[in-house]
Amino acid sequence: MSQFINQNSFLLFAIPVVLVPLYFLLRPPGSRLKQVLALALLASVVAGFFLARPGNRATSSRQVESILVDGDRPAFLEVYSPY
């Protein structure tokens, strides 16, 4: 599941899903409970966005070079573009 939902697709899923409950929570007549639930919903979306962020690189450039030079076994190399 974490491969399907990443930083970019999270916003595409979260924005429509969050707008509908926010509409129902923030329409009149309002109450403190509805306001707290709206804030909790927004906080969970922000926390989910930060959890879906890409992490640090798995290997450094020197480690990649040493893997490629090692001729005893085949190596799988993935190259990601920052763009």
Side-chain angles (χ1 to χ4, degrees):
M1 184 76 163
S2 65
Q3 293 175 356
F4 181 68
I5 298 177
N6 61 17
Q7 182 182 12
N8 301 318
S9 64
F10 179 79
L11 290 176
L12 294 175
F13 288 116
I15 289 175
V17 170
V18 168
L19 288 179
V20 172
L22 279 179
Y23 169 75
F24 288 110
L25 286 173
L26 297 178
R27 69 181 179 166
S31 69
R32 288 275 183 219
L33 177 62
K34 286 184 176 183
Q35 291 174 353
V36 169
L37 288 175
L39 287 175
L41 179 66
L42 289 175
S44 65
V45 168
V46 170
F49 180 73
F50 284 119
L51 288 174
R53 283 189 309 172
N56 295 334
R57 292 182 179 171
T59 58
S60 68
S61 60
R62 290 191 187 270
Q63 290 173 336
V64 171
E65 290 173 6
S66 67
I67 290 172
L68 292 176
V69 171
D70 187 19
D72 295 344
R73 56 191 168 113
F76 178 71
L77 180 67
E78 290 183 86
V79 178
Y80 293 99
S81 172
Y83 302 104

